Amino acid sequence: MSDIVTVIAPVNIAVIKYWGKRDEKLILPLNDSVSATLDTSVMCAKTSVCARPDILENEIWLNGVHSSFCNQRLQNCLTEIKAIARNQKSVTDEFLSWNVRICSVNNFPTAAGLASSAAGYACLVAALAKLYKIQSDISKIARMGSGSACRSVYGGFVRWHAGVNPDGSDSIASQVADSSHWKEMRVLILVVADTKKHISSSKGMTCSVETSELLKYRVEHSVPKRVKDICEAIKDRNFSNFAEITMKDSNQFHAICLDTYPPCVYMTDVSHKIVEIVHKYNEINGDVKVAYTFDAGPNACLYLLEKDISDVLSLIRHMFPTSSNEFVKGLDAPETNKTDVLKDFPMKPLEKDLIKYVIYTKVGDGPKIINDESHLLDAQGKLV
Amino acid sequence: MSDIVTVIAPVNIAVIKYWGKRDEKLILPLNDSVSATLDTSVMCAKTSVCARPDILENEIWLNGVHSSFCNQRLQNCLTEIKAIARNQKSVTDEFLSWNVRICSVNNFPTAAGLASSAAGYACLVAALAKLYKIQSDISKIARMGSGSACRSVYGGFVRWHAGVNPDGSDSIASQVADSSHWKEMRVLILVVADTKKHISSSKGMTCSVETSELLKYRVEHSVPKRVKDICEAIKDRNFSNFAEITMKDSNQFHAICLDTYPPCVYMTDVSHKIVEIVHKYNEINGDVKVAYTFDAGPNACLYLLEKDISDVLSLIRHMFPTSSNEFVKGLDAPETNKTDVLKDFPMKPLEKDLIKYVIYTKVGDGPKIINDESHLLDAQGKLV
């Protein structure tokens, strides 16, 4: 009989984007990517797992909904972990024969369009690794669930190495710097009101690989230099270099999406307005104070330093009037008074409620095992 | 004493885009481009010029407004034509010493965001060439006024050769096929309601040359093959090849704009909606019936064959409800009844008045000398 293992795992936001696979089945990327892992106190996935002889078949609940276990990526992760456990003899053969129950939740709305699969698969794999007591790099197992999940296996700033081996054995994540290295780094996620259905990132990147003529150049020429430069910027805590590379790579990723046929369009007029505001704000300050980055959706993720949070939140409140009572969620936000910059800001406030809300967070640590008994499954492996 | 010379000249819409100069002063492009010249009966520039001994200084009126002659591009065109005339001894030295009056108008709203400079400079140069009786390729002179103006010097389908000579002597336009070659080709310009100020194409392309890493690949790899293929598609009247290359090149051009730092964004949510509708319409028909292309603004230009005009206008009216009484301008449009395709069209009509109006036109001829006495200057060289 096993105990319940419960893990929480973080979301990560790429600053050098992953877009395009060289192997669809093993989820091997065309290029390296780099991300920051976000604080689990604001956003996280939480997963409880257990294995018992009295469970008749493998079962999974996702955000409270009993879901199909016939999911190739989920099965690949479980199979791989069991194979390692068998190899390492970390648990008994009897234990390996038992079925599992998995229960996973996100503490943030999936409707927000924030990539929840990275946190979810990192969490699942970390929990199963603990359950089966394996000693192994788990980033490449998380990768089999969702490519970018491999970056959520570490805290701080993380690099996913594309690798060159056909079996994916060297396509793993490594930490560039831990969360204490650049304590001042902050993140604002601007959740954009949006009704459009965007093509999934998985389908989009497959289509880009097949049709974008520019992707090849990005992979071979742009990304390698950017990865090198941004890792140096992180090590040197050079914000303006970090920010400029981040913005350029977000723009290039969306350029590749547009060069895809038919084009994949993720950014909206509101997204582009945020881009314009950030460039204008940096220009007025004569300094790069804020960087934007956009994933496969319209939401903006802004990187900035703690000292500028108050001014930038004032700017966002000024430019994007809201009818929400809880516009800024997450960490405690400082006072946001209109500052000198705002009085002369050369753009007019936009119409109300273009941004639904803002999540204020920071760079944080990797997955954590939870020992406080707040499991999602009870001692009998039943849903709490 | 000279007569008044009056010329009308067409607009052209590129299917392989010009974006990026290798020489800013001579206006030499990084890559070849290809366009269709549009019928002057729907849209044209009209220019009257004269030279007289009693004109005290060179003067120009643009759309009824007395404008500065201190415009380098305008002066370059006049100087070049006079130099050729002097060389060819096509007019007397006395005639060459006289000042000129120029009056130019567009018969379409410049506010529509349609490139008026191409028609305007093609018209000016054709009129001055006639006035000074020069025998010479005028496309490279028009190019000195506005790059894409060199393509408005011919009718039908036109290719602007980038050339390789540093002096621009081989950066000229040539006709791929005349307007009678593909009589069925039609064009719909969807003028999108837009309040945003877009960066000028001249500034935008300079910024792309300086900052876009992907532009180099476009110029060296994508465009040469596309130019070759689309010229073949035009010669073969192969609409689906023509259309697919046109759409891909429009998308890639806007991808390059997005890869520019800061990014140049010309397309809006409405532009992208038009893209989505066109792809969906083609998909439903199992055939490429319509192609979109977008210049440095949000307006769509659709290429299609005459047989599909009625259906496509029905689709546009259905998807973009209007409060305008004169929604379709230009050529006489056929009846637009809801067709079978519309009943099952899987997208919902959008909100009212996102498209201001539609211009229905076709491929037409190059500049024409007007002999019907409808000059813009009177016999004394005064504004009519």
Side-chain angles (χ1 to χ4, degrees):
Chain A
M1 203 70 53
S2 82
D3 286 338
I4 310 293
V5 173
T6 299
V7 170
I8 59 169
V11 167
N12 73 77
I13 304 277
V15 290
I16 302 294
K17 302 298 189 189
Y18 153 49
W19 196 253
K21 299 184 185 77
R22 65 182 161 94
D23 186 307
E24 288 272 344
K25 198 158 162 281
L26 293 171
I27 312 188
L28 303 178
L30 285 171
N31 58 262
D32 285 23
S33 54
V34 177
S35 59
T37 294
L38 302 187
D39 194 357
T40 49
S41 80
V42 177
M43 285 189 284
C44 70
K46 182 176 185 177
T47 302
S48 293
V49 294
C50 69
R52 291 169 61 100
D54 59 352
I55 298 176
L56 299 179
E57 54 177 1
N58 290 326
E59 287 190 286
I60 186 166
W61 287 264
L62 297 173
N63 289 312
V65 179
H66 191 258
S67 305
S68 170
F69 216 92
C70 293
N71 171 327
Q72 197 56 57
R73 291 175 166 207
L74 167 63
Q75 298 210 355
N76 287 350
C77 290
L78 181 60
T79 304
E80 181 70 13
I81 286 171
K82 282 190 166 185
I84 294 169
R86 188 172 293 116
N87 202 265
Q88 295 182 348
K89 300 190 191 306
S90 56
V91 291
T92 62
D93 284 352
E94 192 195 1
F95 188 90
L96 278 168
S97 72
W98 297 346
N99 284 315
V100 296
R101 281 214 180 111
I102 301 169
C103 183
S104 187
V105 296
N106 295 318
N107 76 336
F108 54 95
T110 47
L114 301 165
S116 52
S117 60
Y121 273 105
C123 207
L124 172 75
V125 168
L128 290 174
K130 173 74 177 170
L131 182 71
Y132 289 100
K133 299 184 172 65
I134 69 168
Q135 301 293 328
S136 173
D137 169 81
I138 61 166
S139 74
K140 62 168 163 288
I141 312 171
R143 192 203 72 226
M144 295 174 190
S146 172
S148 58
C150 74
R151 297 186 312 240
S152 275
V153 158
Y154 298 105
F157 296 88
V158 181
R159 175 174 177 173
W160 174 11
H161 303 261
V164 292
N165 298 344
D167 67 355
S169 55
D170 57 349
S171 188
I172 58 172
S174 70
Q175 193 174 59
V176 176
D178 70 21
S179 66
S180 68
H181 170 71
W182 203 348
K183 286 184 191 302
E184 304 80 8
M185 187 65 86
R186 292 293 178 276
V187 172
L188 293 171
I189 299 168
L190 279 50
V191 178
V192 170
D194 183 47
T195 51
K196 189 178 186 296
K197 277 256 181 184
H198 295 273
I199 191 166
S200 78
S201 59
S202 184
K203 277 188 190 166
M205 69 175 78
T206 300
C207 196
S208 291
V209 172
E210 285 167 3
T211 65
S212 170
E213 299 190 358
L214 302 179
L215 179 56
K216 194 179 148 66
Y217 189 88
R218 164 172 170 73
V219 166
E220 288 177 9
H221 294 89
S222 296
V223 171
K225 177 158 178 21
R226 285 178 183 171
V227 167
K228 182 175 164 288
D229 291 348
I230 208 164
C231 287
E232 271 172 32
I234 291 164
K235 280 171 185 155
D236 299 344
R237 291 187 283 264
N238 182 330
F239 185 79
S240 66
N241 283 3
F242 171 83
E244 193 166 301
I245 299 165
T246 296
M247 291 187 274
K248 285 182 175 172
D249 203 66
S250 174
N251 293 337
Q252 188 173 84
F253 152 49
H254 290 279
I256 296 299
C257 292
L258 208 47
D259 186 52
T260 299
Y261 187 81
C264 297
V265 179
Y266 295 112
M267 293 171 74
T268 64
D269 287 351
V270 176
S271 311
H272 290 298
K273 193 54 86 172
I274 296 166
V275 167
E276 202 184 332
I277 291 166
V278 168
H279 281 290
K280 187 57 76 180
Y281 184 77
N282 288 338
E283 186 192 319
I284 284 174
N285 281 281
D287 192 11
V288 185
K289 287 181 166 284
V290 189
Y292 54 78
T293 186
F294 294 82
D295 282 337
N299 298 333
C301 178
L302 306 185
Y303 282 94
L304 68 168
L305 297 177
E306 189 183 15
K307 67 181 172 57
D308 295 313
I309 275 288
S310 174
D311 283 4
V312 172
L313 276 175
S314 296
L315 175 71
I316 293 166
R317 284 183 184 278
H318 173 71
M319 290 301 297
F320 294 99
T322 180
S323 57
S324 166
N325 290 324
E326 203 205 343
F327 188 57
V328 181
K329 304 170 194 273
L331 301 180
D332 283 338
E335 289 274 321
T336 55
N337 297 314
K338 308 258 161 173
T339 61
D340 288 350
V341 164
L342 272 190
K343 272 185 296 180
D344 302 321
F345 197 71
M347 292 171 72
K348 282 190 188 138
L350 300 159
E351 55 188 293
K352 247 189 173 178
D353 295 325
L354 294 179
I355 291 180
K356 282 198 285 191
Y357 57 88
V358 175
I359 301 170
Y360 174 33
T361 184
K362 62 182 178 181
V363 179
D365 296 322
K368 286 184 196 72
I369 295 162
I370 300 294
N371 293 314
D372 64 359
E373 305 297 314
S374 68
H375 302 304
L376 303 170
L377 297 167
D378 67 17
Q380 281 70 48
K382 298 225 169 73
L383 216 60
V384 177
Chain B
M1 203 71 53
S2 81
D3 286 337
I4 310 293
V5 173
T6 299
V7 170
I8 60 169
V11 167
N12 74 77
I13 304 276
V15 290
I16 302 295
K17 302 297 188 189
Y18 153 50
W19 196 253
K21 300 184 183 78
R22 64 183 162 93
D23 186 307
E24 288 273 344
K25 200 159 161 280
L26 293 171
I27 312 188
L28 302 179
L30 286 171
N31 58 262
D32 286 21
S33 52
V34 177
S35 59
T37 294
L38 302 187
D39 194 356
T40 50
S41 80
V42 177
M43 285 189 286
C44 70
K46 182 177 185 178
T47 302
S48 294
V49 295
C50 70
R52 292 171 60 101
D54 58 352
I55 297 176
L56 299 180
E57 53 177 2
N58 290 326
E59 287 189 285
I60 186 166
W61 287 263
L62 297 173
N63 289 312
V65 179
H66 191 256
S67 305
S68 170
F69 216 92
C70 294
N71 171 327
Q72 197 57 56
R73 290 175 167 208
L74 168 62
Q75 298 211 353
N76 288 350
C77 290
L78 181 60
T79 303
E80 181 70 12
I81 285 171
K82 282 190 167 187
I84 294 169
R86 187 172 293 116
N87 203 265
Q88 295 183 346
K89 299 190 191 307
S90 57
V91 292
T92 63
D93 284 353
E94 193 194 358
F95 189 91
L96 278 168
S97 72
W98 297 344
N99 283 316
V100 295
R101 281 215 180 108
I102 301 169
C103 184
S104 186
V105 296
N106 295 317
N107 77 336
F108 55 95
T110 47
L114 302 165
S116 52
S117 60
Y121 273 105
C123 207
L124 172 75
V125 168
L128 290 174
K130 172 75 177 170
L131 183 70
Y132 290 100
K133 301 183 170 63
I134 67 169
Q135 302 293 329
S136 174
D137 169 82
I138 62 166
S139 74
K140 61 169 163 286
I141 312 171
R143 191 203 73 223
M144 295 175 190
S146 173
S148 58
C150 74
R151 296 187 313 240
S152 275
V153 159
Y154 298 106
F157 296 87
V158 181
R159 175 173 176 175
W160 174 12
H161 303 262
V164 293
N165 299 344
D167 67 354
S169 54
D170 58 348
S171 187
I172 58 173
S174 69
Q175 193 174 58
V176 176
D178 70 20
S179 65
S180 68
H181 170 72
W182 204 347
K183 286 184 191 303
E184 304 80 9
M185 186 66 86
R186 293 292 178 276
V187 171
L188 293 172
I189 299 169
L190 279 50
V191 179
V192 169
D194 184 46
T195 52
K196 190 177 185 294
K197 278 256 181 183
H198 295 274
I199 191 167
S200 77
S201 59
S202 183
K203 276 188 190 167
M205 69 176 78
T206 300
C207 197
S208 291
V209 172
E210 285 167 3
T211 65
S212 170
E213 298 188 0
L214 302 178
L215 179 56
K216 194 179 149 66
Y217 189 87
R218 164 171 169 73
V219 165
E220 288 176 10
H221 295 87
S222 297
V223 170
K225 177 157 179 19
R226 285 178 182 172
V227 166
K228 183 174 164 288
D229 291 349
I230 207 164
C231 287
E232 271 173 32
I234 292 166
K235 280 172 185 154
D236 300 342
R237 291 189 281 266
N238 182 329
F239 185 78
S240 67
N241 283 2
F242 171 84
E244 193 166 302
I245 299 165
T246 296
M247 291 187 274
K248 285 183 175 172
D249 203 66
S250 173
N251 293 337
Q252 188 175 82
F253 152 49
H254 290 280
I256 296 299
C257 291
L258 209 47
D259 186 51
T260 299
Y261 188 79
C264 298
V265 179
Y266 294 113
M267 293 172 74
T268 64
D269 286 352
V270 176
S271 312
H272 290 297
K273 193 53 86 171
I274 295 167
V275 167
E276 201 183 333
I277 291 166
V278 168
H279 281 290
K280 188 55 76 180
Y281 184 76
N282 288 338
E283 186 192 320
I284 283 174
N285 281 280
D287 191 12
V288 185
K289 288 183 165 284
V290 189
Y292 54 77
T293 186
F294 294 82
D295 282 338
N299 299 333
C301 178
L302 306 185
Y303 282 93
L304 68 168
L305 298 177
E306 189 183 14
K307 67 180 171 57
D308 295 314
I309 274 287
S310 174
D311 283 4
V312 172
L313 277 175
S314 296
L315 175 71
I316 294 167
R317 284 181 185 280
H318 173 71
M319 291 300 297
F320 294 99
T322 180
S323 56
S324 167
N325 291 323
E326 201 204 344
F327 187 57
V328 180
K329 304 170 194 271
L331 302 179
D332 283 338
E335 289 274 320
T336 54
N337 298 314
K338 307 258 163 176
T339 61
D340 287 352
V341 164
L342 272 190
K343 272 187 293 180
D344 302 321
F345 199 72
M347 292 170 70
K348 283 191 186 137
L350 299 159
E351 56 188 291
K352 246 188 173 178
D353 296 326
L354 294 179
I355 291 180
K356 282 198 286 191
Y357 57 88
V358 175
I359 301 170
Y360 173 33
T361 184
K362 60 182 179 180
V363 179
D365 296 322
K368 286 183 195 70
I369 294 162
I370 300 293
N371 293 314
D372 64 358
E373 304 297 314
S374 69
H375 303 304
L376 302 170
L377 296 167
D378 68 17
Q380 281 70 49
K382 298 224 168 74
L383 217 61
V384 177

